[in-house]
Amino acid sequence: MNRIGIYYAYWTHDWDADFHPFVDKVADLGFDVLEVNAGTIGNMTSEQRRSLKAHADDRNIGLSYCVGLTKQYDLAAEDKSVRDNGIAFLRTIAGAMGEMGGGNLGGIIYSSWPATLPAGVTDKRPYWDRSLASMKEAIKAAEDNNVFFNMEVVNRFEQYLLNTCAEAVAYVKAVGSPHAKVMLDTFHINIEEDFFSEAIQTAGEHLGHFHIGENNRMPPGYGHIPWTEIGAALRQIGYKGDVVMEPFLMPGGEVGRDIKVFRDMSVGLDLDAEAAKALQFTRGFMK
Ligand code: MN
């Protein structure tokens, strides 16, 4: 049985948050996993990290970690000092996660978010090569801390490097570490791939983490994403990892701004009740 999780920012306007209340909330709602902001974890003290991990253990909640690296940490940047900053930041995060027992780091950890190619540039190969060289250095910190780096495939409007699962598989093969994995997200698959099942099959044994969300980033069950096909494909490849929903409904704050929620999609909805409903829906198609 795959563990089912939810991303804390469903409930917040800011990326930084105290995760303790969310450990209790998601445990009370019946989830197995809480996904948190890896940057925040990296900035916490060891004592704060131990306390959060103890709380999560106490509530039988697993933790996963997500980050979209900002520009100053871009692993694909032309400027070597920027790339070195990014590698150092990933090492900090891996070390912090190691203190909490390790686990999955996912997101845009191979470049920066959001990002596009500079005007006039059409060949992304130099960016790919620089990202890969940086990741080959950073991945050692994952290996040393029982951490897995999951490269999230995202749509073209957010990033340019890994827009398809095939690209991500080529990337993680080139990194050449069992701690480098592919991460897929149904919201992004819906934009870039021909077929959901084909993308999941392409990932195969490389799939390390899986985000779910509707085409409009509503909770699973509200849109037109083919959940039955997705559940079947995940079973077919023998995926044993976590399935984490990442709905975004509220405009405003850093989260609404960065996710581009320009209308209130939460009108008339109780966020906790919707999360519980989406959890049952997800357990249904993951059976
Ligand atoms: Mn995602």
Side-chain angles (χ1 to χ4, degrees):
M1 287 279 275
N2 303 80
R3 299 191 304 180
I4 312 295
I6 187 165
Y7 191 45
Y8 77 101
Y10 171 58
W11 285 283
T12 70
H13 287 292
D14 291 318
W15 293 118
D16 259 328
D18 172 7
F19 300 128
H20 283 278
F22 295 105
V23 168
D24 288 321
K25 185 193 278 288
V26 306
D28 291 343
L29 289 170
F31 285 92
D32 309 308
V33 171
L34 172 67
E35 186 154 310
V36 298
N37 177 352
T40 303
I41 296 290
N43 288 327
M44 284 161 58
T45 65
S46 294
E47 193 184 337
Q48 288 171 324
R49 285 192 280 266
R50 271 196 298 274
S51 159
L52 180 62
K53 180 65 165 73
H55 186 185
D57 286 347
D58 184 51
R59 296 301 315 263
N60 203 21
I61 288 294
L63 295 170
S64 57
Y65 307 83
C66 191
V67 73
L69 296 179
T70 49
K71 257 190 188 1
Q72 77 262 32
Y73 299 128
D74 184 355
L75 259 60
E78 281 190 71
D79 183 341
K80 183 176 186 301
S81 68
V82 173
R83 300 198 300 276
D84 287 345
N85 282 342
I87 293 166
F89 189 57
L90 285 181
R91 283 185 182 136
T92 298
I93 290 175
M97 288 174 58
E99 286 180 13
M100 300 170 74
N104 281 311
L105 172 68
I108 295 141
I109 56 176
Y110 46 81
S111 177
S112 68
W113 177 78
T116 189
L117 284 172
V121 175
T122 53
D123 180 11
K124 68 182 181 183
R125 178 55 65 171
Y127 294 83
W128 174 286
D129 290 344
R130 288 191 293 263
S131 167
L132 194 52
S134 306
M135 186 56 74
K136 281 181 175 177
E137 283 193 49
I139 199 72
K140 295 185 188 93
E143 292 165 351
D144 292 344
N145 287 286
N146 191 31
V147 166
F148 293 86
F149 284 175
N150 297 274
M151 321 297 161
E152 186 171 16
V153 181
V154 298
N155 74 75
R156 67 188 71 184
F157 305 107
E158 300 187 35
Q159 238 288 332
Y160 58 88
L161 209 54
L162 306 179
N163 293 145
T164 69
C165 185
E167 288 179 312
V169 168
Y171 184 95
V172 302
K173 280 184 175 170
V175 175
S177 165
H179 289 255
K181 308 288 270 184
V182 171
M183 171 172 172
L184 296 178
D185 179 321
T186 59
F187 168 74
H188 300 291
I189 292 175
N190 181 59
I191 295 171
E192 298 293 349
E193 307 276 358
D194 296 347
F195 299 102
F196 286 84
S197 52
E198 201 176 83
I200 291 166
Q201 283 154 10
T202 298
E205 62 180 359
H206 298 290
L207 188 64
H209 198 54
F210 198 74
H211 269 175
I212 56 173
E214 285 289 358
N215 49 288
N216 51 10
R217 307 209 94 157
M218 289 288 281
Y222 271 96
H224 63 235
I225 298 296
W227 299 111
T228 307
E229 174 186 342
I230 288 163
L234 289 171
R235 281 190 294 279
Q236 199 196 334
I237 66 165
Y239 179 65
K240 300 283 187 287
D242 295 341
V243 173
V244 174
M245 65 182 69
E246 195 189 22
F248 295 104
L249 278 61
M250 297 188 295
E254 297 167 353
V255 177
R257 177 197 65 199
D258 293 348
I259 301 294
K260 303 186 193 302
V261 184
F262 298 127
R263 62 192 193 279
D264 190 354
M265 302 169 79
S266 68
V267 174
L269 300 179
D270 177 307
L271 292 188
D272 290 1
E274 292 301 324
K277 204 166 84 180
L279 173 61
Q280 291 320 307
F281 179 81
T282 302
R283 291 208 197 282
F285 73 77
M286 287 301 298
K287 251 196 224 131

